[in-house]
């Protein structure tokens, strides 16, 4: 990491969920590990975006050469937390060719007729790709639990099922980066208000989001269980304070960079004779 970049420790250390800490203590307007201001944060987002883009190209190049490794960014968060903004402003900084984004809304009848991971398996990233889940298999222990969409005897075993699914992903070469984005009820209200005040934001407004606010305590309980029970050594949760969009974007950019750097990727060697090809080109 560059010096004077505002980070006092690595983003992954600063943001990693410590199982057992109360969800209700999360400071949604905090910026753990970062002592810079918004101006520095925005400036860094651009320069770190260039680094992210370079690393993504390396991953993609290696994938083209047969490397099976990939990265999967899992985004969870309450309505208005800014998941879409991460896809646009963070993932948008890299070459879309190497990205596979999937969003998971209310399951279709066909999806419901299968195991809850059925639709998830189909969207996992291939070698060389960065996969992005805008909502994910975790909806099946969040909204499903909060609204009693299936009995507890069905959702309860899902924590362990998810852990072993993610272990399988890791052993097949996928680094899973899990981000739970938290906004305060007040900030959510402001963002919903903006959606109602601006015709260019109406498309984002969903009347059901207001009803969901009434379930906040139940969601907090479900998030607590999710974070505590599915933070594993191989796939820990990161809690992203999301009241300040610039911070959540910068933080997730750093998490991606750290994950990609830890793959120690190098440009794949030529699978042709470079000198011979140069000579041929000179004569062509
Ligand atoms: P978003 O709120 O993510 O911006 P949106 O309002 O456009 O998206 P969709 O993406 O169509 O809506 O669907 C999101 C909704 O689907 C959320 O309310 C989410 O809780 C719900 N959902 C996702 N997965 C499931 C699931 N497995 N079971 C029930 N509901 C689910």
């Amino acid at each position: 990491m560059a010096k004077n970049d505002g980070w006092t420790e690595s983003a992954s250390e600063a943001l990693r969920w410590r199982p057992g800490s109360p969800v209700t203590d999360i400071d949604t307007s905090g910026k753990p590990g970062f002592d810079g201001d918004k101006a520095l944060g925005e400036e860094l987002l651009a320069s770190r975006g260039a680094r992210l883009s370079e690393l993504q190209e390396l991953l993609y190049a290696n994938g083209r050469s047969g490397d099976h490794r990939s990265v999967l960014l899992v985004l969870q968060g309450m309505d208005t937390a800014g998941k879409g903004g991460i896809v646009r402003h963070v993932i948008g900084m890299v070459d879309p060719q190497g990205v596979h984004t999937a969003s998971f809304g209310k399951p279709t009848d066909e999806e419901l007729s299968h195991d809850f991971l059925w639709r998830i398996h189909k969207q996992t990233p291939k070698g060389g790709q960065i996969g992005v889940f805008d909502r994910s298999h975790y909806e099946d222990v969040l909204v499903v639990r909060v609204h009693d969409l299936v009995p507890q005897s069905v959702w309860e075993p899902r924590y362990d099922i998810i852990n072993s699914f993610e272990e399988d992903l890791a052993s097949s070469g996928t680094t899973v980066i899990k981000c739970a984005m938290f906004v305060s009820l007040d900030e959510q209200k402001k963002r919903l208000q903006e959606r109602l005040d601006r015709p260019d934001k109406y498309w984002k407004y969903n009347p059901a989001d207001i009803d969901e606010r009434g379930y906040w305590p139940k969601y907090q309980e479900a998030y607590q269980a999710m974070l505590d029970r599915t933070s594993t050594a191989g796939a820990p949760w990161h809690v992203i304070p999301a009241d300040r969009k610039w911070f959540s974007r910068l933080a997730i950019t750093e998490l991606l960079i750290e994950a990609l750097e830890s793959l120690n990727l190098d440009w794949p060697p030529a699978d042709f004779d470079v000198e011979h090809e140069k000579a041929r080109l000179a004569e062509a």
Side-chain angles (χ1 to χ4, degrees):
M1 196 180 296
K3 287 268 172 259
N4 302 323
D5 64 358
W7 288 96
T8 54
E9 60 183 319
S10 71
S12 64
E13 270 303 312
L15 301 165
R16 181 167 307 144
W17 178 247
R18 310 282 186 286
S21 18
V23 158
T24 44
D25 282 1
I26 293 171
D27 175 8
T28 56
S29 61
K31 44 185 180 74
F34 187 74
D35 66 7
D37 59 7
K38 179 176 179 179
L40 177 62
E42 289 184 338
E43 192 186 312
L44 273 175
L45 184 65
S47 58
R48 298 299 278 163
R51 175 69 181 143
L52 178 62
S53 172
E54 179 185 41
L55 287 162
Q56 182 269 333
E57 194 180 338
L58 263 173
L59 180 70
Y60 186 70
N62 279 277
R64 291 286 297 259
S65 302
D67 193 322
H68 60 285
R69 286 175 297 173
S70 63
V71 166
L72 173 61
L73 176 67
V74 173
L75 297 173
Q76 277 299 153
M78 299 292 289
D79 301 310
T80 77
K83 301 181 297 296
I86 298 298
V87 177
R88 273 192 305 284
H89 297 282
V90 175
I91 300 302
M93 295 191 291
V94 310
D95 185 347
Q97 264 195 109
V99 175
H100 179 74
T101 304
S103 30
F104 297 98
K106 228 166 154 271
T108 61
D109 287 344
E110 189 191 16
E111 287 168 346
L112 280 175
S113 73
H114 290 87
D115 167 66
F116 78 104
L117 290 178
W118 181 75
R119 64 177 182 163
I120 306 291
H121 279 291
K122 293 199 290 185
Q123 304 285 357
T124 53
K126 308 213 176 356
Q129 283 182 331
I130 294 182
V132 183
F133 283 179
D134 176 354
R135 300 185 187 272
S136 67
H137 40 298
Y138 286 101
E139 290 292 325
D140 288 280
V141 289
L142 290 170
V143 65
V144 167
R145 169 176 168 154
V146 167
H147 290 285
D148 298 313
L149 300 181
V150 298
Q152 180 165 2
S153 58
V154 175
W155 59 252
E156 188 74 49
R158 288 182 175 168
Y159 299 98
D160 291 340
I161 296 172
I162 288 173
N163 287 339
S164 64
F165 163 62
E166 291 179 359
E167 243 174 67
D168 289 348
L169 280 179
S171 45
S172 60
T174 302
T175 304
V176 184
I177 308 168
K178 303 191 294 199
C179 295
M181 302 176 69
F182 281 84
V183 272
S184 65
L185 267 181
D186 281 351
E187 180 61 27
Q188 186 188 60
K189 192 167 196 169
K190 275 192 216 145
R191 292 182 185 177
L192 290 173
Q193 184 71 52
E194 192 181 34
R195 290 180 184 182
L196 287 172
D197 290 341
R198 286 179 45 180
D200 63 324
K201 301 246 177 188
Y202 290 167
W203 67 275
K204 290 190 187 181
Y205 186 78
N206 177 356
D209 292 351
I210 309 245
D211 303 319
E212 287 303 89
R213 287 169 62 78
Y215 290 90
W216 198 259
K218 282 195 84 179
Y219 269 108
Q220 284 183 318
E221 220 175 273
Y223 269 99
Q224 183 82 53
M226 176 194 88
L227 292 168
D228 287 345
R229 297 179 64 177
T230 62
S231 278
T232 57
W237 272 104
H238 299 93
V239 165
I240 314 293
D243 283 1
R244 303 192 234 204
K245 291 180 181 170
W246 66 265
F247 178 72
S248 57
R249 292 171 188 173
L250 179 67
I252 294 177
T253 301
E254 284 303 329
L255 292 175
L256 282 164
I257 289 174
E258 276 186 48
L260 286 161
E261 283 183 341
S262 69
L263 298 180
N264 289 316
L265 296 165
D266 218 335
W267 294 109
D271 58 0
F272 48 84
D273 180 338
V274 177
E275 292 312 315
H276 177 67
E277 291 304 311
K278 280 184 182 167
R280 283 183 62 224
L281 181 62
E283 277 165 27

